[in-house]
Amino acid sequence: MTRTKKLSLCAVFTALALGLSYAERFIPLQLVIPLPGIKLGLANVVTLAALYRFGKGYAFGILTARCLLGSVFGGLSSLAFSLVGGLLALGVMCLGTKSKRLSVYGISVLGAAFHNIGQILTAAAVLGSWYVAAYLPWLLLVSVITGFFIGALTAGVLRLLPGEVQA
Amino acid sequence: MPKTRFSLWDIFPAAGTILLALLLFLLFLPAKTPADRVEIYQNGTLLETLPLTRDASYEIEGSYKNTVTVKDGKVAVTESSCPGGDCKASGWLTSSGSIVCLPNGAEIRVVSQSPDVDIVLR
């Protein structure tokens, strides 16, 4: 594939991720699971698809660009949270893809869990106390559910994406 | 080729996550002694300690403004100018635990009698 095509695909993926992370604010997940701060993690569909189709370098680029652009709307304080959570999740998902046995479902759950771990670590650093980790068990339990859901979505997307969408 | 079909091995990440959640849950189990104080922190510094027994209100300044209200032995963030509003959504807290407003770096902690112990690690 030409460099231009690769670059355009990455731009489209970044725009999609940005759109999805904005759109999911309007999904009232709190009505089903009443915990403050939880979300589906729709943008992880894009990160996972990029990881599978383009490889980890491109997935890293798309994730970082999404976080930086997203901070234009969310502010600088949210940048640290999305970057630490996102990068930790991507790192663990990269390791997960090394396993020949795990499917996109299991890797998505790993990503969701480590995204939460990364965000709580950032919160602990910002607040200067480990007390916030008391909230992590609830987030982890929810991440199993959302992780499987995002895994199912990504599995569908990977099946439907044309074969030429590949680095 | 990516595996897009669910495999039984995918149970392991899920089970590991649930196990970690249970372990952390036990680790942060609230103390047996009843909660009696509210500690208000911002960016790691203690701003104010309020007794749970007396109705009171406290304003946390900073990038945003949070109003902490103590009423009938319960505490909540009743007003906040932060964008997410998760601190308000946390509702009223009666036993050990905390309400957090991340954009403002604020933490409202309900603690029990022993003032020199934050958490008990077992």
Side-chain angles (χ1 to χ4, degrees):
Chain A
M1 195 188 330
T2 61
R3 281 175 64 94
T4 321
K5 190 166 180 196
K6 260 189 215 173
L7 187 65
S8 335
L9 277 174
C10 286
V12 170
F13 268 55
T14 307
L16 251 174
L18 201 57
L20 284 173
S21 63
Y22 184 74
E24 77 178 350
R25 293 184 197 180
F26 302 104
I27 300 174
L29 190 61
Q30 267 85 5
L31 293 183
V32 193
I33 310 166
L35 288 174
I38 57 161
K39 55 180 189 175
L40 272 176
L42 283 178
N44 202 34
V45 173
V46 176
T47 309
L48 267 170
L51 181 61
Y52 273 114
R53 287 297 182 90
F54 305 151
K56 50 178 185 285
Y58 285 95
F60 172 80
I62 291 167
L63 173 73
T64 318
R66 188 251 292 174
C67 292
L68 289 175
L69 291 170
S71 75
V72 174
F73 312 116
L76 272 182
S77 74
S78 66
L79 177 64
F81 287 93
S82 52
L83 261 184
V84 175
L87 290 177
L88 188 63
L90 179 61
V92 175
M93 291 194 297
C94 284
L95 291 178
T97 51
K98 295 260 189 296
S99 143
K100 293 282 168 283
R101 305 198 192 276
L102 287 182
S103 81
V104 64
Y105 287 85
I107 289 166
S108 170
V109 170
L110 281 178
F114 277 88
H115 186 91
N116 283 320
I117 293 172
Q119 297 217 307
I120 287 290
L121 287 178
T122 320
V126 167
L127 297 170
S129 102
W130 282 109
Y131 213 76
V132 276
Y135 192 46
L136 186 55
W138 303 108
L139 293 178
L140 285 176
L141 292 178
V142 176
S143 74
V144 174
I145 304 165
T146 54
F148 272 123
F149 178 76
I150 295 298
L153 275 182
T154 312
V157 166
L158 285 172
R159 276 186 218 121
L160 292 172
L161 263 187
E164 67 207 55
V165 182
Q166 216 151 29
Chain B
M1 204 35 215
K3 290 184 64 135
T4 53
R5 205 171 299 258
F6 182 78
S7 93
L8 277 181
W9 291 89
D10 293 325
I11 303 282
F12 285 100
T17 306
I18 293 172
L19 201 67
L20 182 62
L22 291 179
L23 275 175
L24 283 168
F25 192 72
L26 289 178
L27 200 67
F28 285 97
L29 218 56
K32 294 273 193 303
T33 42
D36 67 344
R37 280 176 302 124
V38 179
E39 289 176 349
I40 299 166
Y41 292 83
Q42 193 173 33
N43 301 317
T45 16
L46 180 65
L47 296 181
E48 180 71 290
T49 306
L50 300 169
L52 256 183
T53 42
R54 187 153 22 93
D55 290 1
S57 161
Y58 184 85
E59 300 272 336
I60 307 173
E61 308 282 343
S63 324
Y64 302 98
K65 206 163 152 183
N66 309 122
T67 309
V68 181
T69 306
V70 181
K71 197 169 186 283
D72 306 327
K74 297 175 294 186
V75 64
V77 174
T78 43
E79 220 45 70
S80 178
S81 61
C82 65
D86 284 328
C87 47
K88 267 173 82 178
S90 300
W92 292 90
L93 197 64
T94 47
S95 54
S96 297
S98 66
I99 301 171
V100 165
C101 179
L102 282 176
N104 210 15
E107 186 188 354
I108 295 98
R109 212 182 277 180
V110 175
V111 286
S112 52
Q113 267 117 16
S114 49
D116 48 351
V117 180
D118 282 334
I119 52 167
V120 180
L121 298 172
R122 275 172 290 198

